[in-house]
Amino acid sequence: MQNKGLVRLFAVLFGLVSIYQLSYTFIASKVEKEAEVFAANSISEAEEDYVAKREAAEAVYLDSVGAAPILGFTSYDDAKTKELNKGLDLKGGINVTLQISVKDILQGLANNTKNLVFNKALADADEASKSSDDTYVELFFEAFDAIKGDTKLASPQIFYTKALAEDIDNVGGMDAKDDALKPIIRNKIDESIVSAFEVLRKRIDGFGVTQPNIQREGNSGRILVELPGAKDVQRAQELLSSTAQLEFWETHSQSNQSLGQFIFSADAKLREILEPEEQAKDTLTSAVESEIDSLLSDVAEDTMDLAQKSPILGKLLPAAPGSHAMARFAVTDTAEIGAYLKMPEIRRLLPADIQFVKFVFEKPPKDSEFAELYALKSGRDGQPRISGDVITDAQDTFDQFNKPAVSMNMNTLGAREWEKLTGDAFNNETGIAIVLDNKVYTAPGVSSGPISGGRSEITGSFTVNETKDIANVLRAGKLPASAEIIQSEVVGPSLGQEAIDSGFLSFVIAMVFVLLWMIFYYGRAGIFADIALIFNIVLIFGVLTSLSAVLTLPGIAGIVLTIGMSVDANVLIFERIKEELARGKGKAQAVADGFNNALSSILDANITTGLTAIILFVFGSGPIKGFATTLLIGIITSLFTAIFITRLLVDWYIAKKGRDLAFSTPITKTLFTNLSVNFLGKRKIAYIISLILVGVGTFSLFTTGLQQGVDFIGGRSYQIRFEKQVNPSQIASELNDVFGSGTKVKTFGEANQIKVTTPYKVDVEGIEVDQEIQEKLYGALTPYLPEATSFEDFTVGASEKSIGILQSTKVGPTIADDIKQNAYWAIIGSLAVVFLYILLRFRRWQFSLGAVVAVFHDVMIVLGIFSLTGAIMPFNMEIDQAFIAAILTVIGYSLNDTVVVFDRIREVVGLKGWKGGEHINEALNSTLSRTLNTSLTTLIVLLAIFMFGGESLQGFMFAMIVGVLVGTYSSVFIATPIMFDSLKAKIATEEKVAVA
């Protein structure tokens, strides 16, 4: 090997840099453990809410030591920013995909126009977006063009508004053609999405998690946010989806007689609508109407008896004394009451003096069962007296009673309007409702006349974290449009720690086996391969850290798989060296020729695997990208360590006279030597076996199908653990009564753990729906939980616990379609890329045909087995993104094996000719040792992950185990025979020409 000194230098430098990068991870981890010990010693478990208090104590400790120097070159704060990033499945936290509403942006650009054509186009675009992959704005343009008639986008009733007038004037004014206006609108939408991105980034910066990740997903209006380590899930979700739409309104007095009249009229109308057959019985008497004045302040018993049968009155309770609300309702009834009050038939009943009233519920205090309803004074335009645009600063603080509050300062215009508003409220003896995202946070009265200066305060039943978040979102500014969470994954901290433990265990078991196997099979040469392998692992982690890549549980699987597959390069080299030694070459020459002759096979095999990893990276998301990243890094570092580091060690050892280096042990020396198996002669039997397997699997796919996960069909899934073993069939029956049909329950890992998947309200977005489903789950599963388990203990991320929801996933139907399409493209793309690569390398399309048929054969068998056994396996067999990653990895592995075989066939045939296929058999026999060696080590590694790597990886690993077995078989019995049969006529012609 040339330039050994340069290789040594690079090896030393790479090793030192990797160790240096990893040192930050160890330093940060050590300080955090010290913080945990400090918090545990400071706060007893007997204290109320001790988990939250310990978290706060840890934060205080870390703040106090954050800047202190460590080892003279870093500090905790510095090390934390440079440590190895752990994904949600290892650290816990929340991962969400937000969809910025392009519809809201379009409506805002058009000043919320009432134009019928515009709004019909929006409605049509809404419908089309459910089944189309085009962006919303393009769907809107298509819908508008289809129905516009003479209406133009540049019309004053649509987009010729203050926000767009100048731009429209530059392209022809109100006479501008629609095509000239469309780029302007696209640009404005993109600007709004960029603005939303910046607002969210500022909020996340103030949230307090380390190593957050936020990125745009192309031009789709989607924003991916990852908050590793975030434990308060609801707080994080509210922070991300809140538009921060701050408004100040004057309230109506609760003694307003018109309001009372309206409530009675609305209730009567609703009974007509909802229960027409009861109209005659439930007609309100004039005696009851005379009690209107006192109903909302002091409800009489006889009136309440009647009201129990009424849609509104039956649920209405008087507002709290001194409140400026008009009434109270149970929190569970607020959505229903709010919907009633928005109905056009009900709004038409409003008296003239309150015709433009807006009804808004308060944000109820935590753990409260009731929420107050406010009637806000509105003008004809429905706008608030003051909007949040006038706020210049917001800070979390404490009010006069030392309770958490938010103070706000206004600009000059805001201060002037604030003085008018407070003056009106004082004169009318009403309150001022401070509304954030359509929830009343506080509605104080004004006791001492108009307030000047523009300073206001939000008070209420807040925690310190809530006031921090409110101040944070107000400072960051409002989102230009609503942001719906269309996909989310939430992992509890205890599950993250379990994932680390199980991943580490599988890593150690796989590593130990591979190290011992290489020594058992290759003797001292195996030790050198082991040293290179350990160095390879150090490099992988070092590169991951230096690139700020995220390590996930599938990423650990990728590293462990790399251990198994990286052995392949050393096996190829050692087997070639053994062949050269068998030909009588000297040790040094045999080593040199062995490395050189193996290089082509090594490169081909790793390039094909690398191509599938690249496709995984392009089309995958989240943990799948993590798997692809570690696989790609592992391929590169494996090539370096196998080709250069192992060579350095072997050359160093044999350089000294008298040292003998055998590339085998007494047990393995004669294994697989002098084999003469007629593989091609058995191809017809193999064809029949494969046709039966593929046929049965295909039949099952068409009849039984596959269990599609929420990634592909949309819905919500929950991983739930109980103290004792539970019956999933019984729970499924109970949950189907709660959520309706379609809810699936399956044992997930141990018998005390289940996975619940439900399509309930899959089309409905919002945190409220997530909360509703978790409450229903808690109610249905309470009999199976320990008695002391509260709802907060049951929900994911609530605490460091091992009972309740450990992980939850939500995928909206739109993004599920995108994921499914990406999966199809990934598989098709990988097959196409590999076909072209093999065609380029082997110059005959028959080689590509054999490889692709073998890969298709392997994929169909894996799919068939999943279809046949999905209902009986004791682990998750759903088809999701992880499964697609497994399929693509199987494709890569199968091609790896096939390319090595083809490479040897090309070499042998190039030297000796085809000879009717005889030399193909010779090539296959010569690669058998390498094939079985690599397959065995890879299988043992996969089995280690399957058994010890955690429940979430079992289906993934099962697919890969089946794939490796089938791939090893197909490279010998499918790919090569297909290539031979399709090339047979040409081979015969070539041999006749050679004889002539």
Side-chain angles (χ1 to χ4, degrees):
M1 182 174 65
Q2 302 295 320
N3 300 317
K4 289 184 181 179
L6 190 61
V7 172
R8 288 195 196 97
L9 176 63
F10 275 112
V12 171
L13 288 176
F14 288 158
L16 289 175
V17 169
S18 295
I19 293 169
Y20 172 76
Q21 291 289 348
L22 288 171
S23 67
Y24 291 111
T25 302
F26 293 115
I27 289 170
S29 178
K30 179 178 179 296
V31 176
E32 285 168 359
K33 286 180 180 176
E34 291 171 355
E36 287 178 12
V37 172
F38 168 80
N41 292 336
S42 303
I43 298 164
S44 167
E45 290 188 7
E47 291 191 33
E48 184 181 354
D49 200 19
Y50 77 93
V51 173
K53 290 179 180 177
R54 282 185 178 180
E55 287 177 10
E58 286 177 34
V60 170
Y61 179 89
L62 293 174
D63 283 343
S64 66
V65 301
I70 300 175
L71 300 178
F73 74 95
T74 188
S75 64
Y76 168 74
D77 289 343
D78 178 53
K80 191 64 182 173
T81 62
K82 298 176 181 177
E83 71 171 347
L84 177 64
N85 295 338
K86 292 191 283 290
L88 303 184
D89 49 4
L90 296 178
K91 195 173 183 179
I94 180 170
N95 174 329
V96 304
T97 300
L98 294 161
Q99 177 70 64
I100 303 299
S101 175
V102 176
K103 179 180 181 179
D104 284 0
I105 297 172
L106 287 169
Q107 288 175 318
L109 291 173
N111 274 354
N112 296 307
T113 179
K114 305 296 183 185
N115 183 274
L116 295 178
V117 175
F118 175 84
N119 286 291
K120 177 66 167 60
L122 288 178
D124 292 346
D126 286 341
E127 190 62 32
S129 65
K130 296 177 182 177
S131 57
S132 173
D133 298 319
D134 291 340
T135 60
Y136 187 91
V137 67
E138 298 306 324
L139 294 174
F140 165 76
F141 287 150
E142 289 176 15
F144 185 85
D145 290 341
I147 63 172
K148 65 181 181 181
D150 296 330
T151 308
K152 289 186 175 184
L153 291 173
S155 163
Q157 287 76 38
I158 303 182
F159 285 123
Y160 195 81
T161 61
K162 185 177 180 181
L164 293 174
E166 184 177 346
D167 292 314
I168 293 176
D169 286 339
N170 292 334
V171 294
M174 287 183 283
D175 295 324
K177 293 182 178 180
D178 288 352
D179 287 343
L181 204 60
K182 288 175 182 177
I184 296 173
I185 296 170
R186 291 190 191 100
N187 185 56
K188 289 293 183 181
I189 289 172
D190 191 62
E191 287 177 1
S192 295
I193 293 171
V194 169
S195 173
F197 179 88
E198 289 302 315
V199 168
L200 289 170
R201 185 182 58 76
K202 290 176 183 177
R203 292 185 189 180
I204 291 166
D205 288 345
F207 185 65
V209 296
T210 56
Q211 301 170 328
N213 175 37
I214 176 170
Q215 57 190 25
R216 286 184 64 184
E217 293 190 351
N219 295 318
S220 62
R222 292 174 184 165
I223 297 175
L224 173 68
V225 179
E226 293 178 330
L227 301 175
K231 296 178 181 179
D232 192 336
V233 176
Q234 188 174 358
R235 178 189 171 201
Q237 289 175 327
E238 289 178 351
L239 175 85
L240 294 174
S241 60
S242 166
T243 57
Q245 187 75 34
L246 181 66
E247 299 168 340
F248 299 84
W249 302 74
E250 184 183 357
T251 67
H252 280 286
S253 170
Q254 63 174 235
S255 60
N256 188 308
Q257 293 188 9
S258 295
L259 280 175
Q261 176 67 52
F262 166 70
I263 291 298
F264 271 95
S265 301
D267 192 76
K269 185 66 175 178
L270 280 168
R271 282 186 292 153
E272 288 179 19
I273 296 170
L274 302 174
E275 301 178 58
E277 70 278 3
E278 298 292 328
Q279 289 179 42
K281 288 189 228 176
D282 295 335
T283 302
L284 293 176
T285 64
S286 58
V288 177
E289 289 178 348
S290 66
E291 297 291 328
I292 290 174
D293 292 345
S294 61
L295 175 67
L296 295 176
S297 57
D298 185 18
V299 182
E301 271 187 25
D302 55 340
T303 309
M304 285 304 295
D305 289 338
L306 175 63
Q308 297 304 316
K309 303 174 184 178
S310 307
I312 296 179
L313 295 177
K315 299 178 175 65
L316 181 147
L317 294 171
S323 168
H324 290 279
M326 61 174 290
R328 267 191 311 161
F329 292 90
V331 171
T332 52
D333 292 329
T334 56
E336 183 182 9
I337 298 298
Y340 288 156
L341 295 175
K342 289 178 183 176
M343 290 171 64
E345 302 96 317
I346 304 303
R347 296 287 301 182
R348 281 195 285 269
L349 301 175
L350 285 166
D353 59 330
I354 59 167
Q355 192 170 4
F356 303 106
V357 69
K358 179 174 181 177
F359 296 104
V360 180
F361 278 99
E362 72 168 334
K363 179 179 172 60
K366 215 167 192 177
D367 302 326
S368 174
E369 297 179 5
F370 301 98
E372 294 195 316
L373 176 67
Y374 289 83
L376 309 181
K377 290 185 179 181
S378 170
R380 289 179 177 272
D381 57 0
Q383 297 301 307
R385 291 281 298 271
I386 305 175
S387 69
D389 297 338
V390 302
I391 300 299
T392 57
D393 189 26
Q395 298 292 333
D396 55 297
T397 181
F398 293 89
D399 64 14
Q400 57 182 331
F401 304 107
N402 204 32
K403 291 183 178 180
V406 178
S407 66
M408 299 173 290
N409 291 321
M410 300 179 182
N411 59 23
T412 305
L413 175 63
R416 188 162 55 247
E417 292 299 320
W418 178 247
E419 188 170 358
K420 290 180 184 176
L421 176 58
T422 53
D424 290 344
F426 174 74
N427 294 329
N428 299 329
E429 297 183 1
T430 55
I432 296 175
I434 299 179
V435 180
L436 183 62
D437 290 339
N438 215 36
K439 294 284 185 185
V440 175
Y441 274 68
T442 185
V446 180
S447 58
S448 56
I451 302 172
S452 60
R455 182 177 174 81
S456 58
E457 189 174 67
I458 304 177
T459 60
S461 302
F462 299 126
T463 64
V464 171
N465 278 341
E466 284 175 330
T467 56
K468 283 182 182 295
D469 289 344
I470 293 170
N472 181 15
V473 297
L474 291 177
R475 284 195 303 272
K478 69 178 181 180
L479 288 173
S482 61
E484 294 289 354
I485 296 176
I486 58 172
Q487 181 183 20
S488 70
E489 181 181 13
V490 181
V491 181
S494 61
L495 190 62
Q497 186 58 49
E498 289 175 17
I500 292 175
D501 296 341
S502 59
F504 181 74
L505 180 61
S506 67
F507 178 86
V508 169
I509 291 172
M511 190 79 173
V512 168
F513 170 79
V514 171
L515 295 177
L516 292 177
W517 177 260
M518 292 300 288
I519 295 172
F520 164 77
Y521 201 89
Y522 293 108
R524 186 173 283 111
I527 295 176
F528 297 145
D530 288 347
I531 294 171
L533 182 58
I534 293 170
F535 185 60
N536 181 26
I537 300 302
V538 173
L539 289 182
I540 291 173
F541 280 104
V543 172
L544 280 171
T545 307
S546 61
L547 293 178
S548 298
V550 178
L551 181 65
T552 62
L553 191 55
I556 291 178
I559 293 173
V560 178
L561 182 61
T562 300
I563 295 172
M565 295 182 68
S566 66
V567 169
D568 182 48
N570 282 310
V571 169
L572 279 168
I573 292 166
F574 291 168
E575 291 298 320
R576 294 307 291 257
I577 291 174
K578 286 163 67 177
E579 290 177 15
E580 301 301 328
L581 288 171
R583 294 189 179 107
K585 292 184 179 180
K587 190 74 69 177
Q589 189 60 45
V591 167
D593 290 348
F595 272 91
N596 291 334
N597 292 336
L599 186 60
S600 175
S601 295
I602 292 170
L603 289 176
D604 282 339
N606 281 278
I607 287 172
T608 50
T609 306
L611 287 172
T612 57
I614 289 171
I615 290 169
L616 260 180
F617 184 84
V618 171
F619 289 99
S621 62
I624 306 308
K625 277 188 184 290
F627 175 76
T629 301
T630 54
L631 196 57
L632 282 168
I633 293 171
I635 288 169
I636 296 168
T637 57
S638 296
L639 283 171
F640 174 75
T641 54
I643 296 172
F644 295 109
I645 303 302
T646 305
R647 179 73 182 273
L648 277 177
L649 294 169
V650 170
D651 284 350
W652 164 78
Y653 188 81
I654 65 174
K656 294 192 177 180
K657 292 181 180 179
R659 284 186 175 178
D660 182 41
L661 181 62
F663 289 85
S664 60
T665 62
I667 300 174
T668 61
K669 188 173 184 178
T670 58
L671 282 178
F672 305 112
T673 57
N674 301 318
L675 287 174
S676 185
V677 180
N678 185 5
F679 290 103
L680 289 181
K682 297 174 172 54
R683 68 185 185 278
K684 290 183 180 178
I685 298 173
Y687 286 164
I688 293 170
I689 293 171
S690 291
L691 280 172
I692 292 172
L693 290 174
V694 172
V696 171
T698 303
F699 177 78
S700 180
L701 285 170
F702 278 105
T703 54
T704 306
L706 295 164
Q707 298 180 34
Q708 295 190 66
V710 294
D711 283 359
F712 286 173
I713 59 176
R716 292 172 174 83
S717 69
Y718 301 88
Q719 182 179 340
I720 306 172
R721 185 178 294 164
F722 302 89
E723 200 170 43
K724 300 175 183 177
Q725 180 177 335
V726 293
N727 184 335
S729 299
Q730 181 180 341
I731 291 177
S733 175
E734 294 172 3
L735 291 181
N736 273 296
D737 291 340
V738 174
F739 295 117
S741 61
T743 299
K744 299 175 183 176
V745 180
K746 187 172 183 177
T747 299
F748 194 73
E750 299 296 329
N752 68 330
Q753 194 165 267
I754 61 173
K755 185 173 186 179
V756 176
T757 304
T758 178
Y760 179 73
K761 290 192 176 180
V762 65
D763 292 322
V764 184
E765 300 292 349
I767 299 170
E768 295 81 5
V769 180
D770 298 336
Q771 182 82 359
E772 176 194 346
I773 293 175
Q774 291 196 22
E775 287 174 353
K776 287 179 179 288
L777 275 174
Y778 174 68
L781 299 177
T782 296
Y784 304 96
L785 298 168
E787 287 186 12
T789 305
S790 65
F791 174 72
E792 286 69 27
D793 292 332
F794 176 76
T795 53
V796 64
S799 63
E800 301 279 353
K801 45 83 181 177
S802 57
I803 300 295
I805 300 176
L806 304 181
Q807 181 176 9
S808 70
T809 304
K810 177 178 74 173
V811 181
T814 303
I815 201 168
D817 289 340
D818 293 348
I819 292 171
K820 189 184 294 186
Q821 185 182 45
N822 282 345
Y824 291 148
W825 280 114
I827 293 175
I828 293 169
S830 64
L831 291 174
V833 167
V834 166
F835 182 93
L836 293 173
Y837 179 77
I838 293 177
L839 181 63
L840 180 68
R841 288 292 289 130
F842 294 95
R843 304 291 181 180
R844 294 177 187 263
W845 63 265
Q846 291 89 347
F847 282 88
S848 290
L849 178 65
V852 171
V853 169
V855 166
F856 182 77
H857 161 275
D858 300 345
V859 170
M860 290 305 296
I861 288 180
V862 173
L863 290 173
I865 290 175
F866 263 66
S867 177
L868 287 164
T869 63
I872 60 175
M873 286 294 185
F875 49 83
N876 181 37
M877 295 278 278
E878 290 181 349
I879 308 304
D880 52 18
Q881 290 190 84
F883 176 80
I884 298 302
I887 290 292
L888 287 171
T889 309
V890 165
I891 290 173
Y893 183 86
S894 178
L895 288 166
N896 184 313
D897 215 12
T898 300
V899 165
V900 170
V901 171
F902 282 177
D903 203 69
R904 180 57 68 92
I905 290 172
R906 180 177 58 180
E907 180 184 344
V908 172
V909 169
L911 292 172
K912 301 180 179 181
W914 294 99
K915 203 175 179 181
E918 182 180 325
H919 291 148
I920 292 179
N921 280 324
E922 180 185 331
L924 288 171
N925 280 287
S926 67
T927 60
L928 199 58
S929 175
R930 171 264 164 197
T931 298
L932 294 179
N933 234 324
T934 300
S935 297
L936 179 63
T937 51
T938 305
L939 273 174
I940 295 297
V941 167
L942 294 176
L943 284 169
I945 307 173
F946 177 77
M947 291 187 291
F948 305 106
E951 299 88 355
S952 62
L953 286 177
Q954 284 186 315
F956 178 40
M957 287 298 109
F958 180 73
M960 291 189 60
I961 289 168
V962 174
V964 168
L965 289 170
V966 177
T968 303
Y969 157 82
S970 69
S971 63
V972 176
F973 288 104
I974 301 298
T976 303
I978 290 288
M979 177 272 295
F980 174 72
D981 284 337
S982 60
L983 199 57
K984 193 160 48 174
K986 192 168 184 178
I987 289 172
T989 303
E990 288 178 0
E991 288 182 340
K992 285 179 183 178
V993 171
V995 170

